[in-house]
Amino acid sequence: MVDATFLALSVLTIGSAIAALELRSLIYGSIALMGALAGVAGFFLLLDSPFVAMFQIAVYVGSIAVLILFTVMLVRRELIFIKVEDPKRRYAGIGLMLVLMVGLGSLIIDSGLKSVTTDEPPVDFRLIGEDFLTYYWPALVLMALILAGSVTGALVLARREDVADEQRTD
Amino acid sequence: MSNELIDFFIVSIALLGIGIYGLSVKRNAIRMLFAVEIIINAANLNLVAFARFLPHSGGQTLALFSIAIAAAEVAVGLALIIVAYRMYKNVDIAEFRSLKG
């Protein structure tokens, strides 16, 4: 049986996820997305994984959501509120979502996962650090390179050559 | 722990469904990025839930990797959206007729 915290978190997370996609304004949408990501961080706390929860808050709620918010502010005002979607496509999308949820849900409920519970103590977060520095160190180095490469790539992509030239002539 | 694995699983499936709905219906590039983020979070929730119920630290480690890679993906995705916006003055993906430079 689920407890009240779990129920509140699920309502917050799923409600904010729907709001992020359906709110008219993109700015409110990105704030709702922040709520959904914070809700997932709450689930991580419920799962006794405080380290992943803190990481989620720092990376998702702290940086990604703010990045998205700034990008939304760079876009022209009327585009933030515009809503172009085909009603037919919308109903098809809702149907697809319901089919997927009911199909996967019934599959999972029928499976043996229903009886899985645990009384064992949670994993110590020090183990994660050990994992990172022993078994996963090549992946850690690779991830650092990918992050550096992607940030550099994003900067190169978003650079405005005309503005850079103006500054050079000054 | 009073919550079972399947409860977390069902929330994760709901988030996945919402994300796929967003990806298939929305035409605004930024909204599609929101949908991708929601799907990635559903996957992370599953990873951490299984890591708790096994219990094994591998799932949490993988979730941390996944969060970091998602951050990189968002940075590049937003840069692409900004470039496309500069070219077409729009964020509607149906307007992005050609992505030639």
Side-chain angles (χ1 to χ4, degrees):
Chain A
M1 217 27 232
V2 296
D3 52 17
T5 326
F6 182 90
L7 269 183
L9 268 180
S10 3
V11 170
L12 168 77
T13 310
I14 295 175
S16 314
I18 295 173
L21 293 175
E22 289 300 331
L23 278 180
R24 248 177 82 78
S25 155
L26 264 177
I27 294 178
Y28 290 133
S30 45
I31 292 170
L33 182 73
M34 236 186 243
L37 300 176
V40 174
F43 279 123
F44 291 162
L45 279 180
L46 272 191
L47 284 163
D48 301 316
S49 320
F51 186 67
V52 187
M54 290 306 128
F55 206 78
Q56 166 96 1
I57 288 177
V59 174
Y60 267 114
V61 186
S63 72
I64 291 183
V66 173
L67 196 66
I68 290 176
L69 209 56
F70 272 97
T71 311
V72 170
M73 286 173 189
L74 280 178
V75 172
R76 258 189 303 149
R77 217 177 140 227
E78 58 266 30
L79 288 181
I80 293 179
F81 297 101
I82 211 162
K83 220 177 173 184
V84 271
E85 56 187 46
D86 208 352
K88 262 192 223 158
R89 236 173 106 162
R90 187 182 162 86
Y91 292 126
I94 292 176
L96 179 68
M97 175 178 81
L98 289 180
V99 165
L100 195 104
M101 280 185 188
V102 172
L104 276 179
S106 55
L107 206 71
I108 297 297
I109 287 172
D110 272 349
S111 72
L113 280 177
K114 203 174 182 177
S115 52
V116 177
T117 49
T118 184
D119 295 320
E120 294 185 59
V123 175
D124 190 359
F125 59 84
R126 291 184 190 88
L127 272 179
I128 303 170
E130 268 174 38
D131 271 358
F132 268 130
L133 291 180
T134 53
Y135 187 71
Y136 291 103
W137 76 263
L140 189 69
V141 172
L142 196 67
M143 190 181 75
L145 288 177
I146 288 175
L147 271 178
S150 72
V151 170
T152 319
L155 286 178
V156 170
L157 272 177
R159 197 169 64 108
R160 287 183 62 176
E161 273 146 25
D162 46 336
V163 174
D165 288 343
E166 270 171 30
Q167 282 171 347
R168 213 170 289 147
T169 50
D170 282 343
Chain B
M1 203 165 146
S2 59
N3 302 307
E4 294 167 14
L5 174 60
I6 194 155
D7 306 328
F8 293 98
F9 221 101
I10 285 172
V11 172
S12 165
I13 288 173
L15 286 179
L16 173 72
I18 293 166
I20 285 180
Y21 159 76
L23 267 187
S24 55
V25 173
K26 301 292 167 189
R27 275 169 48 191
N28 186 323
I30 300 177
R31 286 232 198 256
M32 292 180 82
L33 204 66
F34 287 6
V36 172
E37 289 309 304
I38 292 170
I39 293 177
I40 292 175
N41 270 281
N44 286 345
L45 183 58
N46 260 350
L47 282 175
V48 176
F50 272 97
R52 175 67 185 90
F53 283 89
L54 276 176
H56 189 269
S57 65
Q60 291 190 33
T61 316
L62 206 58
L64 289 175
F65 276 123
S66 159
I67 291 173
I69 297 299
E73 170 252 320
V74 169
V76 176
L78 285 177
L80 283 176
I81 290 175
I82 287 180
V83 172
Y85 172 68
R86 223 176 266 154
M87 281 171 72
Y88 297 98
K89 296 287 167 225
N90 209 333
V91 286
D92 186 350
I93 54 160
E95 301 290 324
F96 300 166
R97 300 264 176 228
S98 69
L99 284 174
K100 281 181 271 180

